[in-house]
């Protein structure tokens, strides 16, 4: 459904991503793992064009695009089918929970407000926030904010959602509520690419793991096989650090 | 003696206040409104890094902030006629005050826009909004909240700066007072009187500022921007 080939990103003289290939099928939940600084965030940001890749091809809907030269319009068109959930939520601070979800529907998709509110209400109900429609981000806990962000991400009916460490800014007791929501999306067959340090979550929810190290994609493997891997030094070392 | 002074003060009060109401206040209000339009446009041009326009914006700010307001008033009112541009005093004052204040306020706005976390812009892109949509609906409202106290400060400063318009024959409060002093020679009492009226205007604005801050607070949902 979505395939990236030879994705390169350089900042100044530093190579951050050195030719990454990744392919995601419809309904896949792909966990992106790797040590800190390996380029996971950059990979996701490049895949949604928040950073401009220096090179790479993207194959979406059977068409091939040069990632480094996509026009603004093509990027906008592509983003109609994607959503992004940020580590620090990035809710619109001057909008209520409801406003956060309707904003993209009303302004970008020109949907009529009543219809947008209906969709937003359904999305907020789904993430368990039916009593928080009118709350501003400053009035919500981190876990609630992240759930609003997820509601905002699903309301536009994307074909894929990118998650960048959706729980790592949260207090430990709030992580569960967010992971539960993501798991329920997985159960419904939503296609997702999730950067996470929650290894058990990755183990239980993902279909596939991609493992990054120093800007290179070292392994792309079915989840069960990945966690049983013995023959790759970098992977065993990484899994070792987690088990300590 | 005392009676004469009291009579002068009472008699002059409306003669000062009325120019205040029909000149000082409109001059301030119109100029400031125009200044805000300039400020937002110039700030966005810089933040959005629009080529050429950005250089023009920096040049404009450099010139305006580097020269005295009084000199700017003189150049436009007394200088431009040499080139064949005669502008009546009141519109001339409005133009100069707007252009002058616009330069200062654009820096306030630019700083306020830059203080809005970059994630707001990125989140907007990710839900499909365009740069201008995000600016107008997400970033600027937050920036205005940050900029509101310093902008109020500028507005209050401007009320008083309009007295400089007396120098280019605008019959505002200060000039009205000067005329009465010229007739009565009661400089101390009359200048104190006009000072008091400026103080009242500014006090009202200060009150409006705190009301406005509360209102903005509510619109943005209470606590901080960050
Ligand atoms: N703007 C930047 N300028 C220079 N280097 C950068 C910049 N952004 C990221 N990097 C570098 O790129 C590398 C990859 O960063 P990235 O944030 O993608 O890593 P990550 O895998 O998400 O790490 P973490 O697990 O800590 O979030 C790091 O070495 C980082 O220092
Ligand atoms: Mg990261």
């Amino acid at each position: 459904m979505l395939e990236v080939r030879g994705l390169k990103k350089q900042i100044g003289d530093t190579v951050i991503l050195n030719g990454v290939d990744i392919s995601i099928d419809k309904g896949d939940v792909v966990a992106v793992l790797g040590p800190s600084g390996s380029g996971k965030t950059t990979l996701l940001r490049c895949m949604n064009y928040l950073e401009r890749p220096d090179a790479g091809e993207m194959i979406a809907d059977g068409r091939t695009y040069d990632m480094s030269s996509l026009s603004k319009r093509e990027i906008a068109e592509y983003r109609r089918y994607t959503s992004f959930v940020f580590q620090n939520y990035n809710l619109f601070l001057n909008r209520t929970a409801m406003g956060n979800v309707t904003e993209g529907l009303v302004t970008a998709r020109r949907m009529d407000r009543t219809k947008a509110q209906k969709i937003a209400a359904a999305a907020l109900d789904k993430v368990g926030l039916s009593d928080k429609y009118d709350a501003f981000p400053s009035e919500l806990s981190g876990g609630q904010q992240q759930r609003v962000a997820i509601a905002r991400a699903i309301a536009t009916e994307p074909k894929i959602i990118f998650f960048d460490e959706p729980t790592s800014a949260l207090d430990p007791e709030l992580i569960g509520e967010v992971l539960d929501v993501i798991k329920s999306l997985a159960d419904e067959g939503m296609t997702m690419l999730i950067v996470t340090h929650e290894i058990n979550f990755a183990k239980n929810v993902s279909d596939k793991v991609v493992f990054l190290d120093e800007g290179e994609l070292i392994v792309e493997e079915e989840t069960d096989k990945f966690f049983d891997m013995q023959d790759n030094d970098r992977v065993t070392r990484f899994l070792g650090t987690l088990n300590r | 003696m005392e009676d004469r002074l009291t009579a002068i003060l009472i008699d002059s009060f409306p003669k000062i206040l009325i120019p205040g109401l029909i000149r000082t206040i409109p001059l301030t209000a119109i100029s400031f409104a125009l200044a805000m339009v300039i400020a937002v446009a110039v700030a966005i041009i810089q933040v959005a890094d629009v080529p050429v326009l950005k250089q023009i914006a920096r040049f404009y700010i450099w010139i305006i902030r580097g020269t005295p307001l009084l000199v700017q008033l003189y150049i436009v009112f007394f200088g431009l006629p040499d080139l064949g541009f005669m502008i009546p005093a009141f519109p001339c004052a409005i133009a100069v005050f707007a252009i002058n204040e616009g330069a200062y306020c654009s820096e306030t706005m630019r700083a306020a826009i830059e203080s809005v976390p970059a994630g707001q812009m990125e989140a907007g892109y990710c839900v499909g909004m365009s740069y201008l949509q995000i600016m107008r609906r997400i970033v600027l409202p937050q920036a205005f909240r940050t900029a509101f106290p310093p902008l109020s400060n500028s507005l209050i400063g401007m009320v008083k700066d309009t007295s400089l318009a007396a120098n280019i024959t605008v019959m505002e409060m200060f000039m009205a007072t000067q005329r009465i002093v010229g007739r009565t020679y009661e400089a101390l009492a009359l200048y104190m009187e006009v000072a008091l009226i400026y103080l009242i205007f500014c006090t009202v604005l200060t009150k409006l500022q705190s009301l406005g801050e509360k209102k903005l607070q509510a619109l943005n949902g209470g606590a901080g921007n960050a």
Side-chain angles (χ1 to χ4, degrees):
Chain A
M1 183 195 87
L2 184 65
E3 197 175 336
V4 165
R5 283 195 205 137
L7 172 56
K8 283 204 175 115
K9 175 70 186 173
Q10 200 166 329
I11 297 179
D13 286 339
T14 333
V15 177
I16 315 268
L17 294 174
N18 192 11
V20 171
D21 301 330
I22 193 170
S23 91
I24 303 159
D25 288 327
K26 192 168 187 303
D28 266 0
V29 178
V30 180
V32 182
L33 305 182
S36 182
S38 56
K40 304 180 298 293
T41 296
T42 310
L43 170 66
L44 242 64
R45 290 173 59 83
C46 282
M47 288 184 74
N48 212 26
Y49 300 94
L50 290 171
E51 310 272 354
R52 171 68 77 169
D54 294 313
E57 283 183 339
M58 174 174 265
I59 303 163
D61 277 342
R63 280 189 59 193
T64 306
Y65 303 89
D66 177 355
M67 293 182 83
S68 62
S69 66
L70 233 53
S71 70
K72 266 190 188 164
R73 176 169 306 165
E74 284 171 315
I75 290 173
E77 176 65 19
Y78 167 75
R79 285 197 184 121
R80 292 178 68 92
Y81 303 103
T82 69
S83 286
F84 203 102
V85 174
F86 298 86
Q87 182 170 354
N88 55 355
Y89 339 124
N90 285 344
L91 292 184
F92 302 129
L93 300 169
N94 59 332
R95 293 279 183 274
T96 59
M98 177 61 82
N100 263 277
V101 185
T102 54
E103 185 65 40
L105 299 173
V106 173
T107 45
R109 288 169 179 74
R110 308 234 160 273
M111 191 182 282
D112 122 326
R113 188 165 290 280
T114 346
K115 192 176 167 204
Q117 277 169 346
K118 234 178 242 163
I119 293 175
L124 287 166
D125 293 350
K126 194 160 170 180
V127 299
L129 292 174
S130 36
D131 54 340
K132 296 289 183 191
Y133 291 174
D134 298 324
F136 281 94
S138 55
E139 299 162 340
L140 297 170
S141 73
Q144 291 169 332
Q145 289 189 60
Q146 193 60 299
R147 285 186 282 147
V148 173
I150 295 173
R152 178 171 73 178
I154 58 179
T156 51
E157 297 188 340
K159 292 187 179 173
I160 183 167
I161 306 179
F162 301 106
F163 291 81
D164 186 16
E165 300 200 31
T167 58
S168 52
L170 296 176
D171 290 337
E173 72 272 19
L174 300 177
I175 291 177
E177 65 189 53
V178 171
L179 293 183
D180 287 347
V181 169
I182 301 174
K183 177 154 190 335
S184 73
L185 295 179
D187 294 341
E188 288 169 23
M190 177 66 81
T191 311
M192 299 186 278
L193 188 62
I194 308 176
V195 176
T196 183
H197 286 296
E198 296 292 326
I199 292 302
N200 284 324
F201 176 76
K203 233 182 222 172
N204 297 332
V205 176
S206 70
D207 306 300
K208 194 162 91 175
V209 170
V210 299
F211 180 74
L212 282 186
D213 195 8
E214 296 183 356
E216 310 212 15
L217 194 149
I218 309 290
V219 175
E220 182 172 4
E221 188 58 277
E222 281 172 31
T223 302
D224 298 341
K225 290 186 186 153
F226 177 84
F227 285 100
D228 288 338
M229 236 170 169
Q230 309 284 340
D231 57 350
N232 187 311
D233 274 0
R234 291 205 251 189
V235 173
T236 42
R237 205 181 320 132
F238 173 74
L239 292 174
T241 58
L242 297 171
N243 294 331
R244 243 186 280 140
Chain B
M1 185 64 207
E2 282 298 305
D3 286 351
R4 176 179 167 271
L5 186 54
T6 315
I8 289 173
L9 284 177
I10 291 172
D11 180 55
S12 62
F13 186 77
K15 291 186 181 141
I16 298 173
L17 182 63
I18 288 170
L21 296 177
I22 65 170
R23 289 285 195 303
T24 301
I25 290 179
L27 179 56
T28 309
I30 299 170
S31 304
F32 198 77
L34 292 174
M36 286 316 301
V37 175
I38 296 174
V40 170
V42 170
I44 291 180
I45 284 169
Q46 292 180 82
V47 176
D49 217 344
V50 187
V52 187
L53 286 182
K54 181 175 174 171
Q55 277 73 40
I56 296 174
R58 291 314 306 173
F59 182 75
Y60 154 69
I61 292 167
W62 176 61
I63 295 290
I64 297 298
R65 293 204 305 180
T67 57
L69 173 55
L70 187 56
V71 174
Q72 294 165 10
L73 280 168
Y74 270 59
I75 288 175
V76 176
F77 188 71
F78 296 114
L80 288 189
D82 290 355
L83 300 176
F85 297 106
M86 297 266 262
I87 310 171
F90 192 69
C92 175
I94 285 180
V96 173
F97 283 119
I99 291 169
N100 182 278
E101 199 65 33
Y104 288 92
C105 293
S106 75
E107 288 293 272
T108 307
M109 276 314 295
R110 185 173 63 89
I113 291 172
E114 283 170 351
S115 78
V116 175
Q120 297 289 298
M121 201 72 188
E122 295 187 342
Y125 282 135
C126 287
V127 298
M129 297 165 78
S130 69
Y131 182 86
L132 286 178
Q133 284 174 333
I134 305 168
M135 245 320 148
R136 188 166 54 80
R137 298 183 50 90
I138 306 297
V139 175
L140 281 181
Q142 293 179 45
F144 264 119
R145 186 179 138 178
T146 313
F148 190 76
L151 290 178
S152 305
N153 219 16
S154 300
L155 174 61
I156 290 170
M158 199 173 184
V159 173
K160 295 167 293 172
D161 285 348
T162 55
S163 58
L164 289 176
N167 290 284
I168 60 162
T169 77
V170 176
M171 186 59 183
E172 46 65 70
M173 283 210 294
F174 183 61
M175 188 172 195
T177 315
Q178 283 178 313
R179 293 261 166 102
I180 303 169
V181 172
R183 278 203 319 272
T184 61
Y185 298 101
E186 290 294 346
L188 178 62
L190 286 164
Y191 287 135
M192 292 290 276
E193 184 171 33
V194 73
L196 181 72
I197 298 177
Y198 277 114
L199 184 62
I200 293 169
F201 285 180
C202 292
T203 307
V204 170
L205 283 178
T206 307
K207 287 275 173 267
L208 287 177
Q209 177 184 351
S210 20
L211 283 178
E213 278 175 26
K214 286 211 186 82
K215 180 109 190 182
L216 280 175
Q217 192 90 5
L219 275 180
N220 283 272
N225 264 344

